[in-house]
Amino acid sequence: MTTDPALLAEKIQAIDEATEAAKEARGPNYNVAPTATIATVVCRHSETSSSPDTPTRRVRLMRWGLVPPWVKATADGTPETKGPLLINARAEKITSSPAFRASAKSKRCLVPMDGYYEWKPNPDTPAGKKARKTPFYLHRADDEPLFMAGLWSVWRPGNATDDTVPLLTCTIITTDAVGELAEIHDRMPLIVAERDWDRWLDPDQPADAGMLSTPPDIAGIDVREVSTLVNAVRNNGPELIEPVDPHNQPVGLF
């Protein structure tokens, strides 16, 4: 994600709640990893209004990896980390899974991104060797952001006070991959078209079952092989999304 949250908010006509919340300068991130702080889009009612109001779009920063509100706190007041990190949620299970169903009811979000990486196993890996995987970058051909369906949650320790800052976390919803994208991986993030943003975000309505079950539209999505440098989180720069010659990949990364 390389778009500044403030510019993103202006672009999609949302309230910018990210800039004020950021504790440090935020720049482009070409290698977003789980637990990183990312920009999300939510739709919420005003917390200061004394009468019913129309929910508005808001850009908020959240940690990638959903923490359900019922997770216990450790001695230092942070959430327990037992079990897998919930960075993804399967579309077919979000309304029934204990980890996701509460968020699916009224805390749905969009996760904007320039694109995402996926890795395809190489079929020519010698027997007995760990399968080498080739990274690909998937993005819109017009370089506009993609908006993926997500869920979010608010977590506080049991002894939280009124001035305790809550932990906001999110997860990205995945579905069966379609078309040429299925040749790389059998799953993909659930893309939400602009016409469906408000329907997906509406906090007063349940998750739309049709949106969860309809194959995503991948028209205009480009796929290109990129450098295996992306395999290491310490690498973070525009060179990670540049097309690469398959015969000129850096060695030692797989």
Side-chain angles (χ1 to χ4, degrees):
M1 182 63 181
T2 62
T3 302
D4 181 87
L7 296 178
L8 173 68
E10 181 179 353
K11 183 181 181 69
I12 65 172
Q13 299 181 317
I15 298 172
D16 174 22
E17 296 183 347
T19 301
E20 184 177 349
K23 293 182 173 59
E24 58 187 30
R26 307 189 59 78
N29 191 341
Y30 292 88
N31 205 352
V32 180
T35 73
T37 298
I38 61 175
T40 66
V41 183
V42 302
C43 193
R44 308 304 291 171
H45 291 282
S46 172
E47 296 179 358
T48 59
S49 176
S50 59
S51 59
D53 65 332
T54 301
T56 53
R57 290 181 194 164
R58 302 162 188 265
V59 174
R60 289 181 176 175
L61 298 180
M62 299 188 190
R63 193 179 80 177
W64 182 22
L66 189 124
V67 178
W70 41 259
V71 169
K72 295 180 180 179
T74 61
D76 62 359
T78 58
E80 287 185 344
T81 56
K82 296 179 181 178
L85 188 61
L86 304 178
I87 60 173
N88 295 141
R90 297 178 72 91
E92 56 269 31
K93 294 183 177 181
I94 66 166
T95 58
S96 59
S97 168
F100 304 124
R101 61 192 178 196
S103 292
K105 289 181 180 179
S106 61
K107 288 184 172 64
R108 299 180 299 277
C109 64
L110 296 171
V111 180
M113 59 187 71
D114 295 349
Y116 67 99
Y117 303 106
E118 196 53 84
W119 285 258
K120 180 180 181 179
N122 293 348
D124 57 351
T125 302
K129 298 289 186 178
K130 184 177 180 179
R132 294 178 63 86
K133 295 183 178 181
T134 300
F136 291 86
Y137 178 58
L138 301 88
H139 65 106
R140 281 182 50 157
D142 60 7
D143 292 326
E144 287 294 309
L146 288 162
F147 289 81
M148 307 304 191
L151 304 174
W152 64 285
S153 181
V154 179
W155 183 88
R156 295 180 177 87
N159 60 351
T161 61
D162 291 342
D163 59 353
T164 299
V165 178
L167 174 65
L168 303 184
T169 61
C170 65
T171 187
I172 297 172
I173 297 175
T174 65
T175 187
D176 289 331
V178 296
E180 65 174 329
L181 276 58
E183 299 174 7
I184 300 175
H185 197 278
D186 62 341
R187 303 289 293 183
M188 63 174 288
L190 179 59
I191 302 171
V192 181
E194 183 173 356
R195 64 179 180 275
D196 295 323
W197 289 355
D198 291 332
R199 183 156 56 112
W200 174 253
L201 294 174
D202 190 344
D204 301 321
Q205 297 296 326
D208 189 301
M211 292 180 64
L212 292 170
S213 60
T214 302
D217 182 5
I218 62 169
I221 300 295
D222 268 3
V223 180
R224 64 171 177 257
E225 183 176 343
V226 293
S227 172
T228 51
L229 289 172
V230 74
N231 296 356
V233 176
R234 65 179 179 273
N235 298 324
N236 196 323
E239 67 276 5
L240 299 185
I241 64 172
E242 293 299 322
V244 68
D245 182 347
H247 303 291
N248 193 34
Q249 285 277 22
V251 297
L253 292 171
F254 54 88

